[in-house]
Amino acid sequence: MLVMVSSVRAQELTVTHEAPSLPKEPMFTGRKIGLGVAGAVSAFLIHETGHVFANLILGNVPTLQGTLVFGFIPFFVILPRITCDGDHCVKHNGEPFGAGRNGTFFIATAGFHMQHLTDEVMLTRSPQLLSLDAPFRKGMLAFNVFLSTMYAVGAYTGLEDPHGDLAGAARRSRMHEAWLATVVLAPAMLDTYRFFEPSSRWAPWVSRTAKASLFGLTFVF
C-alpha cells in the first residue's frame, strides 16, 4: 500500500496559482501636470532664446525691457535697440547694423521660427503624439500654439505692445500687422489639426509651407 500511495503521489500534478499581472498604473496626475508645465516653460525659453541668438549672430547685443501684454499683464521683451531710417539701420551705440531692415525682421520673428522648428520635429517624429504618454512634449506644443494665437489676437485687436514681435516685424517690413498675424496663426492652427488628426496627409505639408513662408519673408522686402 505504501508503494502504491507513493506511486500515486508521484503522478500528481502540482498546480500553482499565478497572480494576474496588473495593468501598468498611469503616470501620477500631479507628475503629468508638472511635466506639462515644464514643457511649456521650456517652449517659452526656446522662443526667447531664438531672439537672443538672432541678435548675436547678426552682431547685435539686445537688452530686456518690461512691457504690458494686452495693456495690463506685466511681462518683458528682448529689445534689439536698433533704429532704422529707411534701409539704413544703426545699433544703440551708433554702430551701423549691416543686416538692415531684413535683419531686424529676422530678429523680431526668430521666436516664431524656433516654435515652428520645435513643433515640426515633435509632430514629424511622433505623428501619434495625442495617443502617447508625453506630457512634456504636449506642454511644449500647447504653449507654442497658445503664444502664436495670443500674438495674432493682439495684432487683430490692436492691443499688442509696440515692442511686441509682430508689431516690430510689421514696422520693419512695412507689412500690415494683421496680415503677418495670419501668417503666424496659420501654422499654429494647422499643427493643432495635425495633433488631433495624425493620419492627415495634406496638413503636414501645408503647415510646413506656412512656416517656410514666414521665414521667406525675411528676404523679400
Side-chain angles (χ1 to χ4, degrees):
M1 291 179 62
L2 288 175
V3 173
M4 291 177 62
V5 170
S6 299
S7 177
V8 171
R9 287 182 176 178
Q11 297 179 32
E12 289 179 351
L13 296 177
T14 303
V15 179
T16 59
H17 174 72
E18 294 183 1
S21 58
L22 298 176
K24 187 178 180 181
E25 293 185 3
M27 188 183 298
F28 182 62
T29 303
R31 189 184 176 197
K32 281 189 175 182
I33 294 174
L35 287 173
V37 172
V41 172
S42 297
F44 166 72
L45 293 176
I46 290 173
H47 177 102
E48 298 303 330
T49 299
H51 292 303
V52 175
F53 182 72
N55 272 283
L56 295 179
I57 64 173
L58 293 178
N60 183 61
V61 179
T63 188
L64 290 178
Q65 177 172 303
T67 186
L68 293 176
V69 178
F70 293 123
F72 65 93
I73 303 175
F75 203 61
F76 71 91
V77 293
I78 296 176
L79 200 64
R81 299 179 294 176
I82 298 172
T83 57
C84 296
D85 182 10
D87 292 329
H88 177 68
C89 301
V90 296
K91 306 175 189 177
H92 69 283
N93 58 6
E95 295 181 359
F97 180 65
R101 290 191 303 117
N102 300 81
T104 58
F105 180 86
F106 176 69
I107 289 172
T109 56
F112 297 121
H113 298 322
M114 294 302 293
Q115 288 180 213
H116 295 165
L117 179 62
T118 303
D119 292 348
E120 194 57 46
V121 169
M122 288 192 296
L123 291 174
T124 299
R125 290 177 60 89
S126 303
Q128 307 291 335
L129 183 59
L130 175 63
S131 61
L132 298 180
D133 188 11
F136 183 85
R137 283 178 286 172
K138 291 177 181 178
M140 293 185 72
L141 180 64
F143 180 84
N144 287 341
V145 170
F146 165 78
L147 191 62
S148 294
T149 303
M150 184 189 70
Y151 268 112
V153 171
Y156 292 146
T157 60
L159 295 176
E160 186 188 7
D161 185 272
H163 298 109
D165 293 352
L166 282 178
R171 187 165 55 251
R172 300 309 185 193
S173 64
R174 298 171 184 168
M175 298 178 186
H176 198 285
E177 187 177 353
W179 188 85
L180 280 176
T182 302
V183 177
V184 168
L185 183 61
M189 297 298 98
L190 288 166
D191 284 348
T192 301
Y193 180 82
R194 292 169 65 184
F195 177 74
F196 289 105
E197 295 291 339
S199 61
S200 174
R201 294 186 177 181
W202 63 267
W205 292 106
V206 176
S207 175
R208 292 163 190 161
T209 301
K211 293 167 185 172
S213 297
L214 178 63
F215 179 73
L217 290 176
T218 304
F219 310 99
V220 299
F221 60 87

